[in-house]
Amino acid sequence: MTHTLKSVRKSHFALILSTLILFVAVALHAQTPNSVLTGTILDVQGKGVVNATVTIRNEATGASKILNTDANGHYSADALAAGSYTVDANASGFGTSIRSGIALAAAQIQYVQLTLTVSAVTTQVTVNAGVDSIAAQVALSGGFIEERSPQSLISNNYIENFTSPVADYGEIVQIVPGAFSLSADGVGLGQSKTYFRGFPDGDYDIDFDGIPFYDTNSPTHHSWAFFPSQWVGGVDFDRSPGSASTVGPTPFGGSIHLLSKPLTSEFDVRGAVSYGTWNTKLYDGAFNSGSFGLFGGAKKSNLFIDGHHMSSDGYQTFNFNSRNAGSLLYQYQFSPNTVLTGFSGVVQLNSNAPGLNQTRCQAYGPSAADAANTYTCSGATAPFAGAGIKFLLTNNSDPINWLDYQYNTYHVPTDFEYVSLKSELGKGWYLEVKPYTYNYDNAELFSNATPITEASTINGSTTYNGVKIAPCNVQVSGILPCGVDKYNSYRKYGETLVVTQTSKLGILRTGLWYEWARTDRHQYPSDPLSNWADQALPNFAEQFWTKSYQPYVEYEFHVAPQFNITAGTKFAAYTFDILHHSDDGKTVGNLCPLGQTTGCPGTVSDTGRFIAWLPSLDANYRIQPNWSVYGQVATGSIVPPSNVYDYNHTPSASVPTPGLLTPPKQQKSTTYQIGSVYKGQNITLDADAYRIRFQNSYSSTIDNTTSETVFYLQPSSITQGVEFETTYASHGFNLYLNGSASNAVYSGSLNAGTAAAPYYQKTPGGLWVSQTPTDTEFQGLTYAKRGLDLGFFNKRVGEQHVDNKAYHNQAVIAPFSTVNTFVNYTIRNRSIFDQTKIRLSANNLLDAHNLQSLTLATKASPASFLGTNGTTYTDQFAATTGFSNAGADSTGIMSGRSFSVSITFGFAPFGR
C-alpha cells in the first residue's frame, strides 16, 4: 500500500539519472559518431514500469535491439546508426505502446517516453504518448489523450492516500464527474449504490481485470462482497456504452473497470492496522515476492498475497459488520512476449440488517419537517435504532433498546478466480484468453415487522408509548410469518477472448465474452421467535440458468498520424431458463389447472431469448501532441431481470390459463457525446458534452382477452449535460476540480396497444428523472513533499427528485455536501522500515446528516381507461394531483462523522 510514494521519489531519481545520462552523452559527443535513444516507460499514473520490454527497430534496415527497463522504468540504447526508428514497449499486465517515425540524426541523443495502458481489456493502444505533463502524472483522476469517450482514470495514489482504509469502490468513484454514492452505515460498511448521468446501479457494467461481475436476478452489484479497496490498484471509469469491444451485461450507461494491484520486481512485506469511529478495526497484511525463479530457474515469477480482517459496529445502531478476505495474484513470464496470470479472491461477510432504513418520523421525529419537506406523524413514534425495528424481549429492561439484532443476520461468502494467458504473436498480432469463475452465496434472515400504533396487546405482547412492539400478530398454520428466510446463490463460469492485430492501417480488435450461470433463490415467510420455522409454501422458490454471448469486431482506422476513427458492432445474445416452484400465490401460485385441486404440478418452467445488435462509432483527432478532441455515437442494452418471469399461474374463471406468452424486449440506449482532453505542463483539462436517450425498466399488465401477461418498457428518458475535470500542479500543491450540470427528464409516451395486446403507457413529459442531480461539484487540494501527503476534499450533490417509479409523485431531495480530510506521513530513512506510513483520515468532517435518498410510502391511485377491445384496464401512469410527503417514507440519511488512524509498516530491502 506504500509503493506509490516510493515510486514518486524514484521517478524524481529517474529524471535526475536521465538528465545525467544526457549530460554525459553530450560530453562524449565529440568522441563517438553513434546515436542514443533513451527514456522511461511509465504507467498511466506516471510511475516507472519495472522490467518492461523495449524493442528499438530501425525502420529501414529492420535491425533491432531488445532491452528491459530497470527498477525505475528507465532504458537506454546506444551505438545506433542514424535513421528512422520505432520504439515498442510492453510489460506483463499491460498493453503495448508504440512510437514510430522517430528521426535520429548522427551522434544525436533523443529522449523517448512511453506510457503503457492499464486498461481492463488489454489492447495495443498508446496512452498519452509523447506527452510530458507534470499535472497528468500527479492527477488524482483524469482522461488520456487517446480516449474516444469520457473516461476518468482514478490513480492508485488517490486510493491509497485519500480514501478511507475500509472504503469500497463506491467510495473510490465519488471523485468522478457526475458520480455519487450512497451508504447508510458508513463508508465501506454496507452496500453502497452509485449513480451517474441518471443511471442507477444495474444500468452500467462493473468488471475486475476485464471480467464482468453482477447479480443474475438483476444486473446490480454488491460493492462490499467481492473486491476490498486493498485489492484495487486503479479504476478506469468510462461514462459511455463504450465501443463494440466493451463487453458485459449492461453496456448501457457506462463501465467501471476495476484494476488489480500492479506487480513489482521488488520483495516487500507490509502490515497495516487501522482503528476508527464506531469501533471500526482493520488488520491487513500484504506480501509481494518480487521477481523470483522456480526451482532455481530464471526470475520469471511474481506473487502478491493479501489478507485482512475488518469489523465495525457501524453507524446504524447494532448493525455490526465483519469481513475476512484474502487474495492471491501470480504471474509467470514464459518469454518477453507471453505471460500467464492467475488470481483468486475469497471474502466472508457478516452483517445485521444491511438493507433497512428508517422512516422520516424515526429519523427526524414528529416535529413535522426535515431539511426540505413537510410531513406529519400519527401517534407516538418509536425512535430510530439501527434498522428502526424493535422487538419485545422478556429480559430487556430498557424498551428503547428493544432492537434485537439477532433477528437480522446476513451471511455472504464469495469467491472470484481467473487465469489469463497473454501473448504477442508477432507481426502485430496479440492474443488474450481469460477463463474465470465466481460465486455469490447470500443467506439472510430478517424480520419485516415495523412498529405501528396499537393501544392493546396482540398475541400476548405489550406496547410501549402506544407503539406495538411484537414482531408478529397473525398466525398462519401455526406460524407467525413476520420474518423472512431469504437465500440467493449463483455460480458462474465464463471466458473472455481478445485478439488484436496492429498494422500501418490501424488496429483490428475482435473477440467475445461468454458466460454460463446457475442460480438458486427462495424467500420463505418465517417465524423469528420459533427458531425460524418456515411457512410450508414460499413467497417464491426458483432455479434458473442463464447464458450470455457477446462476439464483437471493431477496427480503429489510422486515417492520419493525428486522426483515428473506430467503427464496430457487438452481438449481444442472452438466454434465460427458469424453473418456478409452486408458492403461496405471491409469485406464480399453486399451478393447478382450472377446476383441479389435487395432484397439481409442483413446478413450471419458462424460457426466453434476447438479442441485440449494438453498433458504435467514434473518432479521436490530435490537434497537438498534448491536445485532442473526440466524438462518439454508441448503443447499449441491459439483460432483463429475472422478475419478468414472475407472473401468477393460478387459474380463475376469468383467466383460465394465464401465462407469459411474449417475453419483453431488451432496454436500449443511444449516446451521443463529444469531448476534449488537454495535458499541459502544469495543468490538465478534460471536458465533454452528452445527450442520451434510454428506455426505462419494465412494467406489466394482464390482457383480459388472451390471459397473457404482457411486459413492456416504461417511458424513455432523455438526459443531457456537460462535465469537466482539471488538475493544476505547482510546487507540491495539486488542485483538482470537477463538475457536471445536467438536464434529465422523462420524455413521455402514449401507446394504447392493439386488440391482441391492449396495454397502455402514458406519462407526462418533462418530469425530472429520479435520483439525477441537477449538478455535482468536487474540489480537492493536496500537498505532497518530503513524505508528507495532505488532502482536503469536498463533494457536493445538487437537487434531486424521486418518484417511486410512478413518474409523477415527485418529491425533492435538497443538495448536500461531504467534506473529507487526510493527513499521511511516510518515513523515508533508507532503512528496512523505509516507506512506513502513518495515516489520519476524517470522513464527513462537518458531521452533516442530510437526506440522501428517499423511497415514497404512497403514490397515486391508478386510474382506469377503456382499451381498444372495450375492456377496462388500469393505467398506472395516469397523472394525478394531491401527492404529499409522508412520515412513513423510507429515508437514507448521511452517516455521521468518522475518524480513523492507520499505520502501515513492514520490511523492505536495505537501501531501497
Side-chain angles (χ1 to χ4, degrees):
M1 295 180 61
T2 61
H3 68 276
T4 300
L5 293 174
K6 169 173 64 68
S7 298
V8 171
R9 185 191 68 200
K10 287 187 173 182
S11 66
H12 291 165
F13 177 74
L15 180 60
I16 295 172
L17 179 63
S18 301
T19 304
L20 289 175
I21 291 172
L22 288 173
F23 275 121
V24 172
V26 171
L28 296 176
H29 176 73
Q31 303 177 28
T32 176
N34 295 319
S35 304
V36 176
L37 277 177
T38 184
T40 305
I41 307 302
L42 303 175
D43 64 18
V44 292
Q45 281 82 38
K47 298 177 295 183
V49 178
V50 180
N51 203 33
T53 301
V54 180
T55 303
I56 299 173
R57 182 173 58 86
N58 188 303
E59 295 176 353
T61 66
S64 62
K65 285 190 174 184
I66 301 177
L67 54 155
N68 292 94
T69 58
D70 61 18
N72 300 305
H74 176 74
Y75 72 93
S76 182
D78 57 9
L80 298 176
S84 181
Y85 284 85
T86 293
V87 177
D88 181 317
N90 66 79
S92 62
F94 293 85
T96 297
S97 181
I98 302 173
R99 185 89 172 270
S100 303
I102 302 170
L104 191 63
Q108 183 186 13
I109 300 170
Q110 276 218 47
Y111 185 88
V112 178
Q113 176 179 293
L114 297 179
T115 303
L116 300 182
T117 177
V118 199
S119 174
V121 180
T122 306
T123 54
Q124 294 177 328
V125 297
T126 307
V127 178
N128 289 334
V131 176
D132 183 16
S133 169
I134 296 174
Q137 293 182 22
V138 301
L140 303 178
S141 173
F144 51 93
I145 293 296
E146 291 80 10
E147 72 182 31
R148 295 134 54 193
S149 60
Q151 290 185 246
S152 294
L153 293 168
I154 304 173
S155 72
N156 193 41
N157 175 43
Y158 175 74
I159 297 171
E160 292 193 347
N161 291 313
F162 303 121
T163 61
S164 167
V166 296
D168 58 19
Y169 67 77
E171 178 67 16
I172 293 172
V173 302
Q174 292 259 39
I175 193 174
V176 173
F180 67 100
S181 295
L182 307 177
S183 178
D185 201 31
V187 172
L189 301 180
Q191 295 200 64
S192 63
K193 295 296 182 183
T194 299
Y195 301 80
F196 67 97
R197 289 186 172 185
F199 297 115
D201 188 14
D203 282 6
Y204 50 82
D205 282 336
I206 302 181
D207 59 60
F208 182 79
D209 283 352
I211 298 172
F213 76 95
Y214 60 100
D215 261 9
T216 51
N217 59 296
S218 68
T220 54
H221 310 88
H222 300 282
S223 64
W224 62 339
F226 282 102
F227 307 107
S229 61
Q230 288 76 16
W231 302 356
V232 179
V235 180
D236 177 4
F237 198 142
D238 185 352
R239 301 184 300 280
S240 81
S243 66
S245 60
T246 303
V247 297
T250 53
F252 187 77
S255 294
I256 299 176
H257 304 298
L258 306 180
L259 313 174
S260 60
K261 288 280 189 180
L263 294 172
T264 70
S265 62
E266 297 177 329
F267 176 82
D268 191 46
V269 179
R270 295 281 139 182
V273 178
S274 176
Y275 183 80
T277 307
W278 314 313
N279 196 32
T280 301
K281 303 171 186 176
L282 174 69
Y283 307 95
D284 183 84
F287 168 78
N288 199 324
S289 68
S291 299
F292 68 96
L294 293 174
F295 310 110
K299 294 183 178 181
K300 296 183 177 182
S301 293
N302 289 81
L303 176 66
F304 176 79
I305 300 175
D306 179 86
H308 80 257
H309 169 77
M310 185 276 293
S311 63
S312 177
D313 295 347
Y315 170 63
Q316 294 178 326
T317 309
F318 299 125
N319 193 355
F320 302 126
N321 293 266
S322 69
R323 178 177 66 217
N324 295 297
S327 70
L328 182 150
L329 179 64
Y330 173 76
Q331 278 191 353
Y332 181 79
Q333 188 170 359
F334 289 101
S335 70
N337 296 326
T338 302
V339 175
L340 179 71
T341 304
F343 174 85
S344 177
V346 177
V347 176
Q348 291 274 349
L349 272 177
N350 290 281
S351 182
N352 299 103
L356 301 173
N357 293 318
Q358 65 271 45
T359 66
R360 286 186 192 269
C361 290
Q362 290 171 320
Y364 298 106
S367 57
D370 62 21
N373 306 279
T374 60
Y375 60 91
T376 59
C377 299
S378 59
T381 303
F384 174 66
I389 299 175
K390 296 178 178 295
F391 301 91
L392 176 64
L393 297 180
T394 57
N395 59 349
N396 273 12
S397 59
D398 182 5
I400 295 297
N401 292 323
W402 276 349
L403 171 69
D404 185 359
Y405 54 85
Q406 68 176 320
Y407 289 139
N408 298 275
T409 61
Y410 181 94
H411 176 64
V412 183
T414 68
D415 65 83
F416 191 99
E417 293 83 25
Y418 74 78
V419 175
S420 169
L421 179 66
K422 304 177 183 180
S423 183
E424 299 279 352
L425 303 177
K427 296 185 178 181
W429 286 95
Y430 168 84
L431 169 70
E432 179 179 2
V433 181
K434 189 178 295 183
Y436 66 88
T437 181
Y438 64 93
N439 177 69
Y440 176 85
D441 196 80
N442 171 13
E444 187 174 356
L445 299 172
F446 66 92
S447 173
N448 56 8
T450 55
I452 61 172
T453 300
E454 184 64 52
S456 61
T457 63
I458 298 180
N459 289 343
S461 64
T462 61
T463 62
Y464 177 72
N465 282 353
V467 177
K468 179 179 146 314
I469 304 300
C472 301
N473 60 3
V474 179
Q475 289 194 359
V476 178
S477 302
I479 298 292
L480 296 172
C482 291
V484 176
D485 172 4
K486 177 181 177 181
Y487 185 66
N488 181 22
S489 176
Y490 53 82
R491 166 66 70 179
K492 296 187 177 186
Y493 299 93
E495 181 178 353
T496 64
L497 170 67
V498 178
V499 178
T500 68
Q501 198 276 330
T502 303
S503 66
K504 293 182 179 179
L505 295 177
I507 303 173
L508 169 70
R509 301 185 186 96
T510 187
L512 62 86
W513 167 56
Y514 168 76
E515 183 176 273
W516 177 93
R518 182 189 187 278
T519 303
D520 187 359
R521 301 175 69 232
H522 68 241
Q523 286 191 17
Y524 280 85
S526 186
D527 185 357
L529 297 183
S530 299
N531 197 28
W532 292 98
D534 286 344
Q535 179 179 284
L537 290 174
N539 289 336
F540 70 84
E542 61 192 23
Q543 291 84 41
F544 56 85
W545 296 261
T546 58
K547 295 179 183 179
S548 296
Y549 310 82
Q550 285 188 6
Y552 64 85
V553 62
E554 68 179 30
Y555 199 88
E556 180 180 322
F557 295 92
H558 294 172
V559 181
Q562 302 84 15
F563 186 36
N564 298 328
I565 296 177
T566 304
T569 189
K570 173 169 57 242
F571 178 69
Y574 178 76
T575 64
F576 190 97
D577 296 281
I578 191 167
L579 182 69
H580 278 297
H581 296 260
S582 59
D583 57 42
D584 59 8
K586 186 174 182 180
T587 304
V588 299
N590 62 20
L591 307 181
C592 283
L594 185 63
Q596 182 176 333
T597 58
T598 60
C600 301
T603 60
V604 63
S605 60
D606 286 297
T607 187
R609 182 171 181 262
F610 308 86
I611 60 173
W613 286 98
L614 304 176
S616 66
L617 176 67
D618 57 66
N620 177 286
Y621 179 69
R622 186 81 66 88
I623 300 173
Q624 294 179 0
N626 63 339
W627 182 21
S628 67
V629 294
Y630 61 84
Q632 181 196 50
V633 180
T635 55
S637 67
I638 299 180
V639 297
S642 63
N643 63 13
V644 300
Y645 290 95
D646 291 349
Y647 56 94
N648 200 305
H649 290 71
T650 305
S652 66
S654 59
V655 185
T657 55
L660 178 70
L661 304 181
T662 307
K665 295 181 179 180
Q666 285 183 278
Q667 292 172 251
K668 292 283 197 69
S669 69
T670 304
T671 300
Y672 305 86
Q673 46 196 351
I674 57 173
S676 182
V677 179
Y678 174 77
K679 304 292 183 184
Q681 182 70 9
N682 295 100
I683 190 170
T684 68
L685 176 62
D686 311 337
D688 65 88
Y690 61 87
R691 177 181 171 85
I692 309 167
R693 183 183 184 94
F694 62 93
Q695 296 169 318
N696 286 291
S697 57
Y698 301 95
S699 189
S700 65
T701 189
I702 298 292
D703 186 327
N704 288 348
T705 302
T706 64
S707 303
E708 178 184 357
T709 302
V710 180
F711 282 86
Y712 53 88
L713 293 168
Q714 297 176 8
S716 297
S717 299
I718 295 177
T719 178
Q720 51 194 356
V722 294
E723 302 162 329
F724 82 93
E725 57 184 332
T726 182
T727 296
Y728 177 76
S730 179
H731 299 91
F733 287 95
N734 303 311
L735 176 64
Y736 173 81
L737 304 171
N738 76 38
S740 69
S742 65
N743 181 272
V745 296
Y746 299 115
S747 62
S749 64
L750 177 66
N751 183 355
T754 65
Y759 60 90
Y760 202 76
Q761 296 185 64
K762 176 180 164 184
T763 185
L767 293 180
W768 201 265
V769 174
S770 180
Q771 213 77 60
T772 306
T774 56
D775 59 284
T776 66
E777 294 81 32
F778 189 98
Q779 305 93 32
L781 179 64
T782 67
Y783 175 77
K785 204 160 191 178
R786 296 180 179 176
L788 184 65
D789 281 279
L790 306 177
F792 178 88
F793 305 95
N794 177 59
K795 179 64 177 272
R796 179 185 179 276
V797 179
E799 183 179 275
Q800 304 171 65
H801 290 71
V802 293
D803 56 30
N804 206 23
K805 298 184 179 179
Y807 300 104
H808 46 275
N809 295 348
Q810 295 209 323
V812 175
I813 298 176
F816 58 88
S817 296
T818 305
V819 176
N820 301 331
T821 60
F822 302 88
V823 178
N824 310 308
Y825 180 71
T826 304
I827 298 172
R828 296 180 174 178
N829 57 9
R830 311 291 290 179
S831 73
I832 62 172
F833 299 109
D834 185 39
Q835 300 297 306
T836 293
K837 182 191 298 184
I838 301 171
R839 301 183 60 197
L840 301 175
S841 62
N843 289 82
N844 191 10
L845 181 65
L846 303 183
D847 199 26
H849 294 275
N850 297 70
L851 183 69
Q852 283 188 310
S853 63
L854 182 64
T855 301
L856 304 179
T858 60
K859 59 182 179 180
S861 299
S864 61
F865 71 97
L866 191 64
T868 55
N869 63 349
T871 305
T872 300
Y873 294 95
T874 297
D875 178 11
Q876 64 171 310
F877 300 116
T880 61
T881 59
F883 169 77
S884 62
N885 300 305
D889 293 343
S890 177
T891 63
I893 308 298
M894 291 175 63
S895 57
R897 177 170 49 219
S898 62
F899 297 97
S900 70
V901 57
S902 308
I903 181 169
T904 302
F905 54 89
F907 170 81
F910 179 77
R912 188 180 64 180

